Amino acid sequence: MTDRLAAVVLAAGKGTRMKSDLPKVLHRIAGKPMIEWVLDTVGTLGAEPVVVVTAPDQDAVRAAISGRATTAIQEQALGTADAVKPAREALASIAADGGTVLVLYGDTPMMTPATLARMVEARNGKENPAVVVLGFEPDDPALYGRLVLGADHSLERIVEARDAGPVEREIGLCNGGVMAIDASVLFEMLDAIGNANAKSEFYLTDIVGIARAAGRRCAVVICDTVETMGVDSRVGLAAAEAAMQARLRVAAMDNGTTLTAPETVFLCHDTSLGRDVTVHPHVVFGAGVSVEDGAEIRSFSHLEGARVASGAIVGPYARLRPGADIGAGAHIGNFVEIKNAVIEPGAKANHLTYVGDARVGAKANLGAGTITCNYDGFAKHHTDIGAGAFIGSNTALVAPVTVGEGAIVGAGSVVTRDVPVDALAVVRGAEKIVPGGAARFRASRAKSGKG
Ligand code: UD1
């Protein structure tokens, strides 16, 4: 016996109930395809190889995981035991050496490395069980396979719900869908499985009875119900999303972030929130966001592909798009959109502003309604605003353009030429004042009966 570990991830089911053109395991949970959650989990345990079993028409799945796992094809979905067989070639070496093969499903994103590690540990235990099955106790056992235990509490067999008699159906301990199997006997046991059952399928669950008949022991490791959550419909997808969000929020809070209304904050699998960050209600994080220590994200903000440095304040109602890099202590206020732009420390864009393809120097101040006109219909252009510059409200900066350090741009300007360091630029029509003009206008309207 060795402690080598490999994994087979079953993903060849039809997923018909998703009613989707996208294979089920590519649907995302917290921004990451389900199959990648599973691959990351087995990767944490160092399983090698990891074989993902796909259906012939699932090119998209094979492309999505290429380089991350070996793939094998199950020609027809004839059942979970049949689904493991295409992995035979990839597992030849571990089957010869001995070790453990984890079999799990590609549509159970909530499974944790800790639970799988407990299963592997049980497999490597002194009783050397041939099969360790993940058990759980759902509120409603419904269609799950029932785990039948012997007098010594070891596992005797698994009975699928459709094949169970009334007494077996009363069993509350169910099959969570993960097994850790002795690699040296896996394929021999699989070959012994038939399909004389209610669904005429080759059930992987029959492997337990076969191992017992060969005089081997089988064991159960029990986990929390949430880990076994499988997705087979859009409703299931939403339920798994909610469970994953709950898990991510707890992890963020455990890490020292305050979420004042956690249930309203939506995180991505890779959201990084530092110590003493505060996230106010109703904030959505897309992929690739990191918020550093002490920053504050105010309500109704949407962030993706952005970095917020320590002490910065973002929102309420801010949108940070990919490439937004908000420096320490900077303020990004309401109805401000930042894309592919560096906002240096202490700079402020507090209201109604668009900054795209730009650098805003340290402590520069952008007045309400500042717009970087970065796109001319053909290409994107850069705007560079120097440190300490002041841009008056309702200014259009037509890129490519530079506003030098310490320069001031008067409100309402349309800036098309570079503004030198410390210069004042005002680009607007001359203001005309006509004394008494308003009164005369009103009088003339009244006289003509239109006032
Ligand atoms: C299976 C178990 C059941 C357990 C439940 C937990 C069997 C016979 N039953 O039932 O004891 O309680 O999981 O969720 O194993 N798949 C293939 N090829 C196939 C068939 C299935 O790749 O030919 C994959 C599916 O994509 C899916 C997984 O295996 O990811 C489970 O298949 P499914 O048919 O949903 O099994 P259940 O009926 O839920």
Side-chain angles (χ1 to χ4, degrees):
M1 198 169 99
T2 76
D3 55 6
R4 278 188 65 186
L5 181 68
V8 179
V9 181
L10 306 187
K14 290 196 187 71
T16 345
R17 285 207 282 146
M18 291 297 285
K19 300 201 171 116
S20 177
D21 293 335
L22 188 69
K24 177 168 70 174
V25 296
L26 295 185
H27 282 263
R28 288 167 189 270
I29 301 287
K32 181 159 76 175
M34 269 188 268
I35 186 79
E36 285 191 30
W37 281 104
V38 177
L39 293 180
D40 287 348
T41 300
V42 291
T44 306
L45 295 179
E48 171 62 36
V50 175
V51 187
V52 177
V53 179
T54 55
D57 62 354
Q58 288 180 336
D59 288 338
V61 177
R62 289 185 286 277
I65 61 175
S66 84
R68 289 213 59 187
T70 306
T71 55
I73 295 180
Q74 184 191 22
E75 293 299 335
Q76 252 188 300
L78 298 178
T80 45
D82 182 73
V84 180
K85 290 181 184 171
R88 189 187 297 251
E89 203 182 308
L91 298 181
S93 142
I94 190 168
D97 287 2
T100 299
V101 175
L102 276 170
V103 178
L104 65 171
Y105 305 155
D107 58 7
T108 52
M110 297 298 291
M111 193 57 56
T112 64
T115 292
L116 297 184
R118 282 197 294 129
M119 294 183 71
V120 174
E121 197 186 315
R123 236 298 285 151
N124 291 334
K126 63 177 185 316
E127 283 163 342
N128 186 27
V131 183
V132 177
V133 173
L134 186 63
F136 74 119
E137 291 169 303
D139 292 339
D140 176 12
L143 290 176
Y144 294 111
R146 307 298 203 269
L147 302 189
V148 182
L149 302 185
D152 63 351
H153 298 292
S154 71
L155 183 61
E156 286 290 328
R157 61 200 162 87
I158 306 178
V159 187
E160 286 304 297
R162 284 188 179 80
D163 303 287
V167 176
E168 289 161 337
R169 249 186 242 128
E170 287 304 306
I171 298 173
L173 184 61
C174 293
N175 173 21
V178 184
M179 292 189 192
I181 306 172
D182 182 344
S184 63
V185 287
L186 168 62
F187 289 100
E188 162 192 330
M189 293 194 292
L190 286 179
D191 289 339
I193 293 174
N195 68 347
N197 52 51
K199 285 170 85 182
S200 299
E201 280 188 3
F202 296 88
Y203 291 162
L204 181 60
T205 44
D206 285 350
I207 203 165
V208 172
I210 287 167
R212 293 290 298 125
R216 293 290 300 269
R217 214 180 148 78
C218 296
V220 179
V221 161
I222 294 177
C223 77
D224 198 286
T225 300
V226 75
E227 291 197 42
T228 67
M229 270 181 110
V231 173
D232 48 18
S233 65
R234 305 281 179 159
V235 172
L237 185 70
E241 177 73 38
M244 189 63 83
Q245 287 296 335
R247 184 182 281 176
L248 293 171
R249 290 168 191 141
V250 168
M253 291 186 281
D254 283 349
N255 205 32
T257 289
T258 293
L259 305 180
T260 51
E263 65 287 358
T264 68
V265 172
F266 290 85
L267 300 163
C268 200
H269 65 99
D270 61 354
T271 306
S272 157
L273 302 175
R275 197 179 170 91
D276 291 320
V277 164
T278 299
V279 181
H280 294 265
H282 301 287
V283 171
V284 176
F285 292 92
V289 176
S290 74
V291 181
E292 294 168 9
D293 295 354
E296 186 176 334
I297 312 297
R298 294 184 175 164
S299 295
F300 304 106
S301 295
H302 186 285
L303 298 82
E304 68 181 312
R307 179 184 82 108
V308 179
S310 82
I313 298 175
V314 172
Y317 296 99
R319 180 169 182 209
L320 301 188
R321 292 172 54 203
D325 185 346
I326 313 303
H331 288 189
I332 304 300
N334 41 280
F335 307 108
V336 174
E337 175 178 341
I338 312 281
K339 185 219 73 170
N340 188 31
V342 176
I343 311 297
E344 291 183 351
K348 290 182 182 164
N350 272 328
H351 339 261
L352 301 155
T353 286
Y354 171 65
V355 182
D357 303 302
R359 175 189 77 100
V360 178
K363 295 198 173 158
N365 192 318
L366 309 187
T370 298
I371 306 289
T372 55
C373 308
N374 59 328
Y375 186 52
D376 58 13
F378 299 94
K380 300 283 172 63
H381 301 284
H382 186 79
T383 300
D384 194 84
I385 299 170
F390 180 94
I391 311 296
S393 294
N394 201 30
T395 289
L397 300 164
V398 183
V401 73
T402 294
V403 177
E405 211 173 296
I408 296 176
V409 176
S413 293
V414 177
V415 179
T416 55
R417 286 185 297 148
D418 290 351
V419 181
V421 171
D422 286 333
L424 170 68
V426 185
V427 195
R428 59 169 98 113
E431 188 167 357
K432 188 176 171 190
I433 307 279
V434 182
R440 282 200 299 280
F441 177 71
R442 279 193 294 275
S444 76
R445 301 290 286 181
K447 206 168 156 194
S448 66
K450 290 178 186 159

